[in-house]
Amino acid sequence: MIKKPQGYDEAAAYTGEFQALPKGKYVCKIRQVSEVTDTDKSGHEWRKFVILYDIAEGEYADFYDKQFKAEKETNPKAKWRGVFKQNMDDKGTPWLKGVVTAIERSNNFTFQWDKEENEKTLVNKKFGGIFRRRQYEKDNGERAMTTELWRIRSVAGLAEAEVPEDELLPVTGPGGGRPNPADAAAPPSFTDSDGFMNIPEGTGDEGIPFM
């Protein structure tokens, strides 16, 4: 006979699986902001505007906070998964200005550049997030789907925004069939041609550790 442990009925079930955030439009809140420098394969350094965010309202409020705390119970090195990175220089500059403008309009304030600790003024500010689903290939060759923050808009601008169709990898395999994707929590690094950097690998200098 196996006896039930005390507190079993009240305990959360840590199965190693993560609930997938449905694609769609969400009001988000900023948890942390920082500037980091990444080096690409050619040795060029790129400044990145890094936002750690969470869902602010509705059924999925605090989605990433709950996910982080649950994973932390079994993995002391758990990382925050709600991460958005935007190139700051060259082609990324207009897109960066769009991100900052969307945050300013959503909160009726003006971000003060070149001020000490100005990143802290962005904490708890809201913005509109458009989330899409994208298929990617794991290290073992399997294909999976991830939900990622695709674009940042003002909260008011969400009303007219459209959620894109799922982005799928090219058809491969015998007979041209496509493997059935499975939901997954952590995608690989991904850079858009327009300068967006969505949820790549990285480390935080301080504060919440992130993917």
Side-chain angles (χ1 to χ4, degrees):
M1 179 181 68
I2 300 174
K3 294 184 178 180
K4 181 184 291 187
Q6 183 177 358
Y8 181 88
D9 292 334
E10 294 77 22
Y14 299 135
T15 64
E17 302 172 349
F18 292 97
Q19 178 188 22
L21 180 71
K23 68 178 182 180
K25 298 181 287 186
Y26 298 89
V27 176
C28 302
K29 59 184 176 184
I30 296 173
R31 293 290 304 269
Q32 181 176 304
V33 179
S34 60
E35 177 187 320
V36 301
T37 301
D38 287 343
T39 304
D40 62 21
K41 294 181 180 179
S42 67
H44 183 80
E45 292 187 344
W46 296 94
R47 291 192 306 151
K48 302 291 195 310
F49 187 77
V50 183
I51 299 175
L52 274 60
Y53 62 87
D54 207 343
I55 307 302
E57 303 173 359
E59 178 183 356
Y60 295 93
D62 300 320
F63 177 86
Y64 292 101
D65 183 58
K66 294 173 183 176
Q67 188 181 72
F68 176 69
K69 289 177 179 177
E71 186 176 359
K72 195 79 171 176
E73 291 288 337
T74 56
N75 177 17
K77 296 182 179 180
K79 302 290 183 68
W80 187 271
R81 297 179 182 274
V83 182
F84 184 88
K85 285 191 177 184
Q86 171 61 53
N87 288 343
M88 297 181 67
D89 303 307
D90 299 330
K91 291 192 301 180
T93 302
W95 293 97
L96 171 67
K97 187 172 183 178
V99 169
V100 173
T101 299
I103 296 170
E104 290 176 327
R105 290 177 177 174
S106 298
N107 299 277
N108 192 28
F109 96 116
T110 301
F111 179 64
Q112 300 298 314
W113 292 96
D114 305 316
K115 299 284 187 180
E116 287 295 327
E117 298 188 338
N118 56 359
E119 67 277 6
K120 293 182 179 179
T121 66
L122 295 170
V123 175
N124 292 323
K125 295 294 190 292
K126 293 183 178 181
F127 64 85
I130 305 171
F131 289 74
R132 71 170 180 179
R133 277 166 41 97
R134 178 174 59 83
Q135 188 178 46
Y136 69 97
E137 190 170 286
K138 298 181 182 180
D139 292 338
N140 61 8
E142 294 181 0
R143 294 187 175 192
M145 296 295 290
T146 184
T147 304
E148 63 185 8
L149 176 55
W150 180 64
R151 291 289 187 267
I152 289 178
R153 296 287 185 266
S154 67
V155 172
L158 283 181
E160 298 180 356
E162 295 185 359
V163 179
E165 295 295 325
D166 295 351
E167 181 178 295
L168 303 177
L169 294 172
V171 175
T172 59
R178 185 188 303 280
N180 292 326
D183 287 334
S189 299
F190 176 77
T191 306
D192 280 346
S193 60
D194 58 23
F196 273 93
M197 193 76 172
N198 294 339
I199 323 181
E201 291 295 330
T203 57
D205 294 330
E206 57 182 16
I208 305 172
F210 60 91
M211 298 295 293

